[in-house]
Amino acid sequence: MTEKQTHAFATSQTATKLLGGRPDCPFMPVFGAPQVMFERGQGTQLWDVNGKRYLDFLCGIAVTSLGHSHPVIAAAIAHQANTLLHVSNFFSNPVATQTAIMVDKLVSESFGVKNAGQVFFCNSGAEANEAGIKLARKFGGRGKHVVVSALGSFHGRTLAALAATGQPEKHEPFAPMPEGFRHVVFNDIKSLEASLDASVAAVLLETVQGEGGVIPASVEYLQAVRKLCTERGILMMIDEVQTGFARTGKWFGFEHADIKPDVVMLAKAMGNGMPIGALWATKEVASVFKPGDHGSTFSGTAIATAAARATIQLMIDMDAPAVVQQKGEELSAKLRTISSVIEVRGRGLLLAAELKPELDAKKVATQLLDLGLVVNGVTSHALRFAPPFTVSSAEIDEAIEIMKVVL
């Protein structure tokens, strides 16, 4: 336990009381030292245990897209908690069924068809990717099992999802990694084409590499990948965990390229903070899964799907893609007025501000946090912004002023 970790948990009487006299951090050190202990939120605002107010421009990393403590979602969770929380997957429940239909409708209609796919619910983006990897292997069959993904990608922390993640430094502590994964240069179609042989079952890509620095895939690249996959009988799997549900200004990031993926992974914003993920696949691809091939105790549990159903309906009602396009343009334009910002990239309300080379983004993010603005240093020189869709112009202006003070 470092001095910094102890300090982070003992900066107020409230935090000390919560620890019950324990001198060290009760959490495993997988996230590093907690910088702040938040106790409540409302819309774009957060308050820590000392009563200090913050603007949340990270949203739990693109999760609380409708803001904290949204009254409609809170009411949906409360109602479901008093109705039915969970039954096993030997049975169904109304909210899971309705939510699956909603998810399929959004994905299917994004490329102009109806009822094109089926859904498997899980608890996180990593689990959605794990399920997708298993589906790809079952679809390809013995000897056609390799999943090709991109360098700089991030697909989760579980073992197969980590193997698909194109960041070798994250693999090293857990070597040997599972076999059957190959990594190519992102946005380079020749690199991808050279990697495709008879052993490849699927290509797995993000439409915007979030953890890789908020790097969008080009339209031409995604269209060329789709063409290659179709020609070679390979699944095109799109990880929309961070980009899905309107974050990029369209319902899904793949819509910017006007393509139809075979498999889509979803999570994060889907439940506005309730842990839930989903794997969507076309009916043809989904049909290779048979009873017992995959599962999850909490797949489609009523309490999580109640939150997802309310979240998705609210997004539909507000025309979330249009709102995100407008607010994304506003935030981008205002970020560009800061002299220390040399580039703004991304799509919609998933943006990165590249700072001058002499600035350390992680140190800047800490200084911004001290002044009440939550963002993160996604690379050594870039800050990531993912505010809620409900963010106001006044809140954007306040965030920009805080950045100008620091930068």
Side-chain angles (χ1 to χ4, degrees):
M1 171 123 258
T2 66
E3 181 180 345
K4 183 179 179 183
Q5 284 176 304
T6 304
H7 175 72
F9 273 88
T11 53
S12 73
Q13 292 182 351
T14 303
T16 303
K17 183 178 180 181
L18 286 167
L19 283 167
R22 181 171 176 155
D24 63 340
C25 177
F27 302 118
M28 288 189 182
V30 295
F31 299 113
Q35 294 174 282
V36 178
M37 186 183 286
F38 290 117
E39 68 173 350
R40 66 186 178 95
Q42 186 69 51
T44 312
Q45 301 177 92
L46 286 167
W47 288 267
D48 67 18
V49 291
N50 300 317
K52 180 179 175 180
R53 171 187 171 273
Y54 300 75
L55 285 177
D56 187 0
F57 271 52
L58 190 59
C59 279
I61 312 181
V63 171
T64 53
S65 291
L66 298 180
H68 295 284
S69 305
H70 194 291
V72 174
I73 300 169
I77 294 169
H79 173 76
Q80 195 60 48
N82 284 287
T83 305
L84 177 71
L85 285 175
H86 173 79
V87 292
S88 85
N89 283 293
F90 296 134
F91 315 101
S92 184
N93 67 77
V95 283
T97 304
Q98 291 165 0
T99 308
I101 291 169
M102 292 174 84
V103 170
D104 176 56
K105 187 175 191 300
L106 281 179
V107 177
S108 296
E109 291 186 359
S110 70
F111 40 75
V113 295
K114 291 185 178 181
N115 307 321
Q118 293 176 304
V119 175
F120 169 78
F121 286 121
C122 51
N123 307 290
S124 68
E127 288 182 46
N129 277 299
E130 288 277 342
I133 291 164
K134 286 179 67 175
L135 182 61
R137 289 194 170 198
K138 186 79 187 293
F139 180 85
R142 294 292 174 88
K144 190 179 173 71
H145 63 280
V146 171
V147 173
V148 179
S149 53
L151 291 168
S153 63
F154 183 84
H155 299 292
R157 302 281 186 178
T158 51
L159 209 52
L162 181 62
T165 292
Q167 300 182 49
E169 68 278 8
K170 287 184 168 61
H171 299 168
E172 195 279 329
F174 307 103
M177 299 301 291
E179 296 179 356
F181 297 89
R182 200 172 292 165
H183 302 99
V184 298
V185 177
F186 187 56
N187 263 333
D188 185 334
I189 195 63
K190 290 183 179 179
S191 176
L192 176 64
E193 187 170 11
S195 76
L196 301 181
D197 57 28
S199 70
V200 175
V203 174
L204 171 61
L205 295 170
E206 298 162 281
T207 58
V208 179
Q209 286 193 339
E211 304 303 315
V214 190
I215 312 292
S218 73
V219 168
E220 296 77 16
Y221 176 69
L222 291 174
Q223 290 176 343
V225 174
R226 176 67 277 180
K227 186 172 184 290
L228 272 176
C229 289
T230 300
E231 290 172 350
R232 304 196 182 198
I234 294 169
L235 297 181
M236 185 178 190
M237 306 200 300
I238 299 294
D239 180 342
E240 294 274 1
V241 169
Q242 192 163 156
T243 50
F245 296 101
R247 176 55 63 179
T248 67
K250 291 186 180 291
W251 281 113
F252 305 102
F254 63 76
E255 290 184 76
H256 292 278
D258 194 26
I259 58 169
K260 176 184 175 181
D262 302 299
V263 179
V264 181
M265 293 78 165
L266 302 161
K268 287 193 180 287
M270 189 175 172
N272 206 58
M274 179 66 74
I276 185 168
L279 177 72
W280 177 95
T282 64
K283 291 178 183 178
E284 176 191 6
V285 175
S287 68
V288 305
F289 266 168
K290 304 301 179 188
D293 281 345
H294 196 58
S296 168
T297 296
F298 297 107
S299 176
T301 192
I303 189 70
T305 50
R309 180 178 63 177
T311 299
I312 295 169
Q313 190 58 59
L314 283 165
M315 288 184 175
I316 292 169
D317 293 344
M318 72 185 289
D319 191 3
V323 170
V324 170
Q325 284 181 34
Q326 183 268 315
K327 293 187 177 180
E329 289 170 2
E330 179 182 358
L331 177 57
S332 295
K334 289 176 178 177
L335 284 170
R336 290 188 178 97
T337 67
I338 301 171
S339 60
S340 296
V341 173
I342 60 175
E343 179 194 7
V344 178
R345 61 177 178 266
R347 290 198 174 107
L349 282 174
L350 180 58
L351 299 171
E354 188 76 20
L355 306 178
K356 289 181 177 179
E358 62 268 24
L359 294 172
D360 182 328
K362 298 188 187 301
K363 289 182 179 178
V364 169
T366 299
Q367 292 172 316
L368 292 171
L369 184 68
D370 288 342
L371 292 182
L373 178 62
V374 181
V375 296
N376 85 306
V378 69
T379 67
S380 58
H381 298 295
L383 298 170
R384 173 169 46 185
F385 296 79
F389 306 165
T390 53
V391 66
S392 67
S393 292
E395 289 169 333
I396 292 175
D397 289 341
E398 184 181 352
I400 296 298
E401 288 306 310
I402 293 172
M403 288 191 65
K404 287 180 176 177
V405 169
V406 170
L407 294 174

